Structure formats: C-alpha cells, structure tokens
C-alpha cells in the first residue's frame, strides 16, 4: 500500500478538543520525515503555540516559553497535556491507517477504506476522505478516549514536502 510506505509527508488542518470540562479549537501543521515529526498547534488568533519535534525517542516540546526534552515521549507528553496521547501512532492514524506496532480492531466501509479503528484505548472514526495529490487520505477524523473527544479536519495533504 502506497501510504504504508510513505516516508515523508505534510498536512495542515483544524482540530477541536473537548475534554469534558473544557474545549479548545485550533489549527495544526504536521510534517513527517521517516521517524521524525514536526507538529505545530496554534490556538485561536494564532495564540497558545505548541511545537513538538524530533524523532520518536527524543521529542522536543516548546510551549509557553519553555522547552522540554522528552526521552519517554508518549508518557511525558501525556502527563504534560493531562490526558493519554499516543502521539507516535498519529503518524499512521492521520493517513487513515492502523499503527502496525499495536493490536487493532478495524472496520472497513463499502469503499474498502478504513471506517473505524479501535487501538491503544482510542476509538477513531474516519468520517470522510479526500483525494489529495492523487492519494485518498482522511478529510475528517473523530477520535475519542474516555471523556476526551477530538475532531481533526485535514485541509491540505502533501505526500512529499
């Protein structure tokens, strides 16, 4: 599958997060180069910038004027934001794929595209897809974990940034 073998890509979109106690909306940009990611999340009007970058085993987080080096990225990032965030699986999830490193329950739609995914205590629903640069990729993904709900809308996808 083309997407499974894709080493470098970038996408831009919008995200909304509802923790059950508070809600947040923003814009994000994610680029992936082999195992290294670069993620920028901006709140409304470009405020509250969060940057996450680096390879899986050594992420750097910049937020509120602080820089943190994470040697256990998923556990430390989850502690930082206050909820379980399997960030290393997002590079597959954003492409509409399960993470091959973990057990998954999947359901495919009539179009043979992944429609629902249960993986790593998260439930994902791939609500719609779009054709970008000749590739079918998710347009809208709804993700939930306990009382946490995410909605991701992808505005642009570039398979070779």
């Amino acid at each position: 599958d083309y997407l499974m073998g894709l080493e470098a890509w970038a996408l831009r979109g919008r995200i909304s997060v509802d923790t059950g106690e508070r809600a947040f909306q923003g814009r994000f940009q994610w680029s992936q180069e082999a195992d290294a990611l670069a993620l920028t999340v901006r709140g409304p009007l470009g405020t509250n910038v969060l940057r996450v970058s680096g390879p899986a085993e050594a992420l750097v987080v910049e937020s509120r004027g602080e820089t943190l080096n994470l040697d256990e990225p998923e556990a430390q990032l989850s502690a930082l934001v206050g909820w379980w965030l399997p960030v290393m699986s997002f590079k597959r999830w954003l492409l509409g794929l399960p993470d091959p490193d973990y057990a998954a329950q999947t359901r495919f739609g009539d179009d043979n595209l992944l429609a629902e995914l249960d993986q790593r205590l998260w439930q994902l629903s791939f609500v719609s897809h779009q054709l970008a640069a000749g590739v079918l990729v998710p347009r809208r993904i709804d993700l939930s974990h306990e009382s946490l709900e995410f909605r991701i809308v992808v505005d642009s996808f570039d398979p070779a940034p």
Side-chain angles (χ1 to χ4, degrees), residues 97-149:
L97 303 168
D99 184 333
D101 295 335
Y102 298 91
Q105 287 183 294
T106 57
R107 190 180 69 74
F108 290 83
D110 297 337
D111 50 12
N112 286 328
L113 294 170
L114 186 60
E116 290 177 6
L117 170 65
D118 278 21
Q119 192 169 43
R120 307 194 68 194
L121 305 176
W122 280 76
Q123 291 75 49
L124 288 77
S125 177
F126 297 90
V127 179
S128 60
H129 288 77
Q130 62 191 329
L131 194 61
V135 187
L136 267 175
V137 293
R139 162 95 178 128
R140 179 175 149 197
I141 311 170
D142 292 352
L143 306 91
S144 63
H145 167 69
E146 295 176 352
S147 64
L148 187 63
E149 292 187 14

Side-chain angles (χ1 to χ4, degrees), residues 31-99:
S31 59
Q32 189 76 38
E33 182 96 33
D35 195 32
L37 70 90
L39 167 67
T40 303
V41 180
R42 286 186 167 77
L45 308 175
T47 58
N48 309 338
V49 178
L50 168 74
R51 287 191 178 85
V52 181
S53 59
E57 65 284 351
L59 285 181
V60 176
V61 176
E62 298 168 70
S63 174
R64 299 185 189 105
E66 290 183 62
T67 300
L68 302 166
N69 295 292
L70 310 184
D71 53 5
E72 290 183 50
E74 289 193 340
Q76 291 169 306
L77 192 58
S78 296
L80 193 69
V81 296
W83 59 71
W84 164 232
L85 198 60
V87 69
M88 303 330 291
S89 293
F90 272 84
K91 72 180 182 185
R92 293 285 185 217
W93 294 354
L94 287 169
L95 298 179
L97 303 168
D99 184 333

Side-chain angles (χ1 to χ4, degrees), residues 3-22:
L3 287 173
M4 279 298 255
L6 197 59
E7 285 289 306
W9 51 268
L11 54 77
R12 286 197 320 269
R14 291 163 281 149
I15 185 168
S16 63
V17 180
D18 186 343
T19 67
E21 294 170 7
R22 55 196 174 93

